[in-house]
Amino acid sequence: MPEFPEIEALRRALDDPVRAYPVEKAGPAHVATLKTYDPPLKALEGRRFAGAERRGKNLLFPTEDGELVLHVHLMSAGRLRYLRPNEKQPKSPAFKLSFLGGAAIVLTEGGPKKRAKVGVYTPATIEEELAHLGPEAYRLGAERLGEILTSDSRRLHAFLRDQRLLAGIGRAWANEILLTAKLSPYALTTELEPEEIERLADAIDSELARGLELRERGASDKSAYRIHNRLGEPCPACGTPIARVDFDEHTIYYCPNCQTEGRILKDRRLSRLLR
Ligand SMILES: [Zn+2]
């Protein structure tokens, strides 16, 4: 599940290689992966990218002539790789783009579902496509964060993941951020004290920076996450076994000592069934 640290590390790694040579062949793309048909993928051929950009969890590759933008969203299971000339290619990629000189970028997706997205846009249409995104979470600052928090009453974990409010955070880094901020995933955005908002803003920056630094060094999920996917393991701050709660369609990990004053959060699906 790539979020800011993973996507930004990828963007930095791709920024130079994608501008080294013009595009020789854009495609093939899986029919479920390619989200646009006008301009056609082929319109990228012969053009050179100006580099790699990121907006939230979206990767953008604008062409040097300023006319087109290749958009890639990995969703939860997509993987984008840069392959050097003669490097082994995956058999049936969801999307492939080859450069003159033999290098390529290749999108693959684990599992049977095709959720990752690729599209070709003009600068105006991609802006429209991404207009729903909130400001970048990283380095947002407490003042602006406070304004967004109070604009709507939400539980903190859901708030952090909502790309329309804050762009770049997903379920894994939301868990990491809330542990560092020592805030409950169920705390309401409108009920935070100014000091808690400061703590949350600091935790967003420090955790995303920690994640980015690790991902740039190629760290695995297991070494990047300190609480996510670690049910029953000791909390890195206090040693209390990490707890888990299923909330809507996913899972939240938290430390009952650091974050919820010892309270065990109820599984909302389960409590609905018992009602
Ligand atoms: Zn703890």
Side-chain angles (χ1 to χ4, degrees):
M1 47 187 88
E3 304 173 25
F4 168 87
E6 294 75 31
I7 300 292
E8 178 59 19
L10 184 58
R11 183 200 72 74
R12 292 181 181 189
L14 291 173
D15 192 39
D16 278 337
V18 297
R19 61 176 110 188
Y21 289 95
V23 176
E24 182 176 49
K25 188 167 188 292
H30 192 282
V31 64
T33 307
L34 185 63
K35 299 298 178 193
T36 59
Y37 57 91
D38 183 23
L41 255 187
K42 281 199 158 310
L44 292 170
E45 294 174 2
R47 298 179 203 249
R48 196 187 277 259
F49 290 123
E53 296 174 3
R54 182 192 56 78
R55 178 73 177 93
K57 304 183 201 170
N58 299 270
L59 278 166
L60 302 169
F61 304 93
T63 57
E64 215 177 39
D65 57 20
E67 289 182 6
L68 299 173
V69 181
L70 171 68
H71 168 251
V72 178
H73 195 302
L74 300 175
M75 300 304 285
S76 54
R79 186 164 174 233
L80 191 68
R81 273 180 301 160
Y82 176 80
L83 300 177
R84 288 178 188 81
N86 305 320
E87 210 168 328
K88 193 168 177 278
Q89 309 260 342
K91 269 198 205 86
S92 43
F95 171 66
K96 182 180 167 185
L97 182 141
S98 315
F99 295 98
L100 275 172
I105 50 175
V106 174
L107 171 70
T108 53
E109 197 163 12
K113 289 203 174 113
K114 293 275 173 275
R115 292 209 175 107
K117 301 178 201 173
V118 168
V120 182
Y121 296 84
T122 64
T125 55
I126 191 64
E127 198 184 318
E128 214 172 285
E129 183 71 18
L130 302 181
H132 65 283
L133 292 175
E136 291 290 320
Y138 187 53
R139 293 185 174 158
L140 184 64
E143 194 180 328
R144 185 84 180 85
L145 179 65
E147 289 165 11
I148 304 171
L149 281 164
T150 48
S151 67
D152 193 13
S153 181
R154 306 278 298 274
R155 290 183 191 275
L156 267 188
H157 198 277
F159 166 82
L160 288 174
R161 288 182 289 107
D162 190 334
Q163 302 304 298
R164 290 166 302 175
L165 298 172
L166 215 54
I169 300 170
R171 57 188 87 166
W173 288 101
N175 287 330
E176 303 296 319
I177 288 164
L178 290 174
L179 172 69
T180 299
K182 298 197 186 307
L183 290 169
S184 167
Y186 278 18
L188 290 173
T189 53
T190 46
E191 292 178 1
L192 295 186
E193 301 291 335
E195 184 267 329
E196 293 175 317
I197 295 174
E198 292 273 353
R199 240 157 57 207
L200 182 60
D202 288 349
I204 289 173
D205 289 352
S206 66
E207 280 304 302
L208 295 183
R210 181 178 73 83
L212 174 57
E213 204 244 317
L214 285 166
R215 295 304 197 181
E216 280 203 273
R217 287 196 271 123
S220 66
D221 287 357
K222 196 69 190 163
S223 54
Y225 301 143
R226 301 192 301 169
I227 184 165
H228 183 70
N229 270 338
R230 291 185 181 269
L231 178 67
E233 293 181 34
C235 163
C238 73
T240 302
I242 289 165
R244 183 177 88 177
V245 60
D246 292 308
F247 182 64
D248 293 341
E249 283 158 8
H250 63 276
T251 301
I252 293 172
Y253 294 85
Y254 67 101
C255 170
N257 182 46
C258 292
Q259 295 175 258
T260 60
E261 293 165 336
R263 280 194 307 275
I264 296 300
L265 301 179
K266 293 240 172 57
D267 180 331
R268 288 164 64 92
R269 288 183 303 191
L270 190 62
S271 32
R272 253 197 306 271
L273 288 175
L274 296 176
R275 205 172 284 155

